[in-house]
Amino acid sequence: MIRLTFGVQTLSRTRLSVSPAIEAVEWLKLAATARRHPVFGAPGPGARGALRHPDVKLLVDLLTATSASYMPDLLTPKPRPGPSNKILDAQLAEIESTGQHDVDAQVLGTVEAHAGRPLPTRLRRLAESGRLPRRLAAGLAEFWRETLQDDWPSLQTVLDRDIAARSRVSARHGIGRVFDGLHPAVHWVRDSLVIDTRHDHLVDLSDHDFVLAATAFTWPTLMFQVDHADQATLYYPAGGLGTADRRGPAGLPGVIGTMRATLLTDLGVARSTAELATRHGVAASTVSYHLSALRRAELVSRHQDGRHVLYQRTERAGPLVDGA
């Protein structure tokens, strides 16, 4: 059991937020291990292509070196107060500015302790030289641009909807009711937040702010980072995911992301992946990734024409294009 003790100042500074960094890290872990998300499916060829970037590969090496029960907090900085469209930039800047003390403690210390084996040589050299945080921030930014940037508005729509609903609960019933409704493993008891887990840990959050971060790609798992009070964040699965009408970014009614909207608009006539890539100046693998998502949402159909595979939007996509 983990018990987080709250003072008055902590309660007054508890807030709801999103965390682009945790979404990117979780999506990267799926891509690196060739696994599928229970709601959003497989990351696809675009994500797999991004894994070839040296800084993204460095991120994968670090995540692979950790155990299932630990991930360095420095990869997922607590979302700071401010506009939601600035959160990712602030998180990337915080990763890049990670001090050597935290690198030593989290990467050279805790990662090796949890993994039970030495770090890969390249990781250790970069960590000891002080160059690792910059490379990790660059890798996360690259992976975000190649895989999630276009879909983030649609994902954030779902997350913001959850946050708005919990904010109404807080206004009507108090923050304790919000805590109790986050996840079956989370309970508000007197002045403490209790998390049912096999870990045994007491954390004093007095005089620290605390963030409840609605997440999509951690669904349906509850995650938390409490090793350092100033980074204390609870990542809970947003409500509304996993239902028939929310199978993933492309399945969200009316919100499909910039690139997918562009492709749908251009698919009034049948076109190949190569033609679409040339017309819109993007990699064929990126087009293929978005087309796969559009097909899963039944917005695009595919048929063979001789040696070519052609794609065209379906009748179901009509209202989306007409209303754009």
Side-chain angles (χ1 to χ4, degrees):
M1 177 184 71
I2 292 180
R3 181 182 292 271
L4 310 177
T5 60
F6 282 57
V8 173
Q9 288 296 323
T10 303
L11 275 177
S12 71
R13 290 154 58 181
T14 296
R15 53 194 170 81
L16 291 150
S17 181
V18 297
S19 175
I22 193 71
E23 307 291 5
V25 168
E26 290 300 305
W27 200 235
L28 173 61
K29 286 162 64 176
L30 289 173
T33 55
R35 290 182 293 123
R36 296 178 60 86
H37 189 276
V39 174
F40 298 98
R48 292 196 299 272
L51 297 179
R52 293 192 290 268
H53 189 281
D55 291 335
V56 178
K57 189 176 186 305
L58 187 68
L59 257 176
V60 172
D61 290 344
L62 177 57
L63 292 170
T64 303
T66 64
S67 68
S69 61
Y70 178 76
M71 182 169 65
D73 289 355
L74 64 86
L75 293 180
T76 55
K78 176 167 62 179
R80 303 300 176 180
S84 57
N85 64 344
K86 302 294 184 182
I87 292 176
L88 177 62
D89 288 342
Q91 289 180 310
L92 292 173
E94 191 165 340
I95 294 172
E96 186 171 356
S97 64
T98 301
Q100 190 61 38
H101 173 77
D102 288 330
V103 173
D104 290 344
Q106 296 181 40
V107 178
L108 298 177
T110 310
V111 167
E112 286 193 346
H114 276 261
R117 60 181 182 275
L119 280 175
T121 301
R122 185 172 69 123
L123 267 176
R124 172 170 284 282
R125 287 176 178 170
L126 286 170
E128 291 174 342
S129 70
R131 292 177 291 161
L132 183 62
R134 180 182 60 81
R135 296 284 302 275
L136 294 176
L140 200 63
E142 174 69 18
F143 186 75
W144 176 272
R145 283 191 297 269
E146 291 298 318
T147 62
L148 295 177
Q149 183 169 277
D150 285 339
D151 284 327
W152 180 243
S154 60
L155 284 172
Q156 188 163 350
T157 296
V158 176
L159 301 178
D160 285 346
R161 187 181 299 130
D162 175 276
I163 290 172
R166 295 184 196 276
S167 297
R168 290 192 293 270
V169 171
S170 180
R172 294 169 184 167
H173 304 286
I175 191 67
R177 181 73 66 86
V178 174
F179 288 143
D180 283 333
L182 292 174
H183 190 274
V186 178
H187 313 280
W188 178 247
V189 182
R190 295 185 180 178
D191 63 346
S192 302
L193 191 66
V194 176
I195 305 172
D196 295 333
T197 175
R198 62 185 179 86
H199 301 284
D200 191 10
H201 202 24
L202 175 64
V203 182
D204 183 4
L205 293 182
S206 300
D207 299 324
H208 292 278
D209 60 333
F210 184 55
V211 173
L212 307 173
T215 59
F217 294 143
T218 66
W219 190 96
T221 306
L222 181 77
M223 297 179 62
F224 45 86
Q225 55 187 46
V226 293
D227 286 348
H228 304 278
D230 63 342
Q231 288 289 344
T233 308
L234 183 68
Y235 302 103
Y236 68 91
L241 295 176
T243 54
D245 62 334
R246 295 198 177 101
R247 291 186 294 265
L252 295 173
V255 189
I256 59 173
T258 303
M259 177 52 70
R260 292 177 190 177
T262 299
L263 293 176
L264 273 187
T265 301
D266 203 17
L267 286 173
V269 298
R271 302 188 190 278
S272 68
T273 299
E275 182 182 2
L276 289 167
T278 300
R279 288 172 62 85
H280 300 289
V282 296
S285 61
T286 299
V287 172
S288 178
Y289 165 66
H290 289 298
L291 288 176
S292 295
L294 292 170
R295 286 190 67 220
R296 291 196 300 271
E298 300 177 1
L299 299 176
V300 162
S301 63
R302 181 178 70 175
H303 67 273
Q304 194 82 26
D305 182 16
R307 295 185 301 168
H308 301 285
V309 176
L310 301 180
Y311 296 84
Q312 191 166 5
R313 67 172 180 254
T314 63
E315 291 184 4
R316 183 177 181 180
L320 293 179
V321 175
D322 295 340

